[in-house]
């Protein structure tokens, strides 16, 4: 975990899902099958720097995606961003969401290891520890051992309108940043985005698939971070008896998946190009960790349980689970 342990206003985190290594009951829990997902706060500063260096390695290593396929891809890191952009219409708000992102995380971790010499596991970000104000998180405090800071505050901004594939159009008010990340490992002089945006205007060149070099922008939201509180996670883990319920509640309005993206802001709001922010991988490692914990509560049933279709927003499958979220 990338966060130091402390308790929030709601008290100490339940020991049942306190950030510890996952039991190996699920085939690929939160990373490669031969490792467990690393709790980021338990990593030493040296181990944190090793992870950051591996991310730099992918960002500086030439990509393998043909420019005829994704013209803006320049690096191995871009290969992963571009792949997510291509697959987005088929792996969000549907039955492939959790399984695809588990495999996607595993492939990313393997690249960090096999191509960049990283020897640790993929860390996760336990945002329940800083839901009151993510700016206080050791993940986002802007130190050399963090994943960078908030963005520079930009006043008088308009809301951001985001299109969800086969879903609603969402409007996000400005957060507490809005400009380039100003301290830590991913400032403009150390890290650059090349792809996107796709999911909001103005899109990048070629619908977001062209070359669009720019800084990493964050806009941390103290509104959406409130959905990451410990009681919401406990409710998710204890309140769903089947994968359909778990998947929908995780991804519903106010669910911990979307709210994790929304609290980061800017490129993390773009369903297509959100892996451009290195924090994406720690957020989704936490999402995968929660799925693994839920599976391990009843592994004989839940390890191989599937649900839904590969059509984003398929209401035939959503309706039994989401009457409280849908306007009839």
């Amino acid at each position: 975990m990338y966060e130091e342990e402390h308790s929030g206003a709601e008290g100490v985190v339940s020991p049942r899902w306190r950030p510890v290594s996952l039991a190996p009951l699920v085939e690929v829990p939160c990373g490669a099958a031969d490792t467990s997902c690393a709790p980021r706060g338990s990593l030493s500063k040296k181990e944190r720097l090793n992870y950051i260096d591996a991310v730099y390695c992918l960002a500086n290593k030439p990509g393998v995606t043909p420019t005829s396929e994704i013209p803006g891809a320049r690096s191995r890191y871009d290969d992963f961003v571009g792949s997510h952009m291509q697959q987005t219409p088929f792996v969000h708000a549907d039955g492939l969401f959790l399984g695809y992102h588990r495999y996607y995380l595993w492939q990313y971790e393997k690249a960090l290891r096999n191509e960049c010499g990283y020897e640790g596991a993929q860390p996760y970000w336990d945002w329940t520890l800083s839901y009151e104000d993510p700016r206080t998180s050791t993940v986002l405090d802007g130190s050399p051992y963090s994943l960078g800071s908030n963005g520079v505050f930009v006043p008088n901004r308009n809301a951001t309108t985001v299109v969800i594939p086969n879903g609603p159009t969402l409007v996000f008010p400005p957060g507490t940043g809005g400009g380039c990340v100003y301290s830590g490992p991913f400032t403009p002089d150390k890290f650059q985005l090349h792809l996107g945006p796709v999911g909001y205007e103005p899109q990048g060149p070629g619908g977001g698939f062209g070359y669009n070099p720019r800084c990493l922008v964050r806009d941390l939201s103290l509104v959406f971070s409130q959905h990451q509180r410990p009681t919401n996670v406990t409710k998710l883990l204890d309140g769903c008896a089947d994968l359909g319920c778990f998947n929908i509640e995780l991804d519903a309005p106010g669910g911990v998946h979307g709210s994790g993206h929304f609290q980061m802001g800017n490129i993390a709001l773009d369903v297509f190009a959100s892996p451009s922010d290195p924090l994406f991988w720690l957020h989704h490692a936490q999402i995968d960790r929660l799925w693994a914990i839920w599976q391990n509560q009843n592994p004989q049933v839940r390890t191989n349980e599937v649900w839904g279709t590969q059509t984003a927003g398929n209401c035939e499958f959503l309706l039994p689970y989401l009457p409280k979220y849908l306007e009839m």
Side-chain angles (χ1 to χ4, degrees):
M1 185 181 68
Y2 219 126
E3 183 113 42
E4 294 174 357
E5 293 239 21
H6 59 82
S7 59
E10 299 191 1
V12 178
V13 179
S14 167
R16 188 168 57 77
W17 55 275
R18 183 176 292 282
V20 295
S21 297
L22 297 176
L25 296 177
V26 182
E27 183 181 359
V28 189
C30 203
D34 61 343
T35 67
S36 55
C37 183
R40 193 60 172 95
S42 70
L43 300 184
S44 67
K45 290 182 177 180
K46 171 68 172 171
E47 289 169 325
R48 296 182 186 203
L49 291 177
N50 288 344
Y51 178 76
I52 293 165
D53 285 344
V55 176
Y56 283 160
C57 168
L58 284 186
N60 290 299
K61 187 180 288 288
V64 298
T65 304
T67 55
S68 59
E69 186 174 334
I70 302 179
R74 295 293 187 274
S75 69
R76 284 292 286 134
Y77 193 94
D78 293 343
D79 291 339
F80 284 93
V81 177
S83 172
H84 189 271
M85 290 165 61
Q86 290 177 317
Q87 297 300 321
T88 284
F90 315 108
V91 297
H92 292 84
D94 62 18
L96 296 180
F97 169 72
L98 287 168
Y100 166 82
H101 284 85
R102 173 168 289 175
Y103 184 73
Y104 184 54
L105 280 167
W106 182 33
Q107 293 296 321
Y108 180 74
E109 181 181 341
K110 287 203 302 182
L112 293 176
R113 290 168 166 273
N114 298 341
E115 301 177 37
C116 293
Y118 179 60
E119 296 181 351
Q122 171 60 46
Y124 62 86
W125 171 27
D126 187 354
W127 17 249
T128 66
L129 300 176
S130 55
Y131 75 90
E132 293 175 301
D133 188 345
R135 295 172 299 181
T136 66
S137 166
T138 51
V139 179
L140 290 162
D141 63 8
S143 76
Y145 313 103
S146 71
L147 265 289
S149 65
N150 194 8
V152 174
F153 178 65
V154 179
N156 304 318
R157 288 175 292 130
N158 295 324
T160 301
T161 301
V162 176
V163 177
I164 306 298
N166 290 343
T169 297
L170 305 178
V171 179
F172 297 94
T176 62
C180 297
V181 166
Y182 57 81
S183 65
F186 298 104
T187 51
D189 59 321
K190 302 184 185 81
F191 186 79
Q192 194 175 68
L193 278 59
H194 296 150
L195 297 169
V198 178
Y200 56 79
E201 298 293 340
Q203 288 185 328
F209 285 81
Y211 186 53
N212 187 23
R214 63 201 189 282
C215 70
L216 172 61
V217 172
R218 288 194 183 129
D219 191 20
L220 298 180
S221 169
L222 276 60
V223 175
F224 292 105
S225 67
Q226 299 304 306
H227 297 298
Q228 312 300 94
R229 62 183 65 233
T231 49
N232 285 8
V233 174
T234 302
K235 180 181 177 181
L236 173 69
L237 293 175
D238 292 345
C240 286
D242 61 73
L243 184 60
C245 170
F246 182 85
N247 201 131
I248 293 299
E249 293 291 340
L250 179 89
D251 218 19
V256 295
H257 167 241
S259 295
H261 284 270
F262 305 158
Q263 73 167 314
M264 293 156 60
N266 200 263
I267 196 65
L269 300 178
D270 185 347
V271 183
F272 294 82
S274 54
S276 297
D277 188 333
L279 191 52
F280 167 95
W281 306 97
L282 277 73
H283 169 54
H284 265 274
Q286 167 76 338
I287 294 300
D288 191 73
R289 170 177 173 262
L290 297 183
W291 182 30
I293 293 171
W294 181 83
Q295 289 178 303
N296 290 342
Q297 291 174 340
N298 188 358
Q300 289 184 331
V301 173
R302 296 178 178 178
T303 297
N304 297 312
E305 185 177 5
V306 295
W307 164 86
T309 72
Q310 59 182 342
T311 302
N314 189 332
C315 289
E316 179 182 351
F317 286 85
L318 298 181
L319 284 172
Y321 296 97
L322 276 187
K324 63 184 176 181
Y325 297 120
L326 300 175
E327 294 181 6
M328 305 301 292

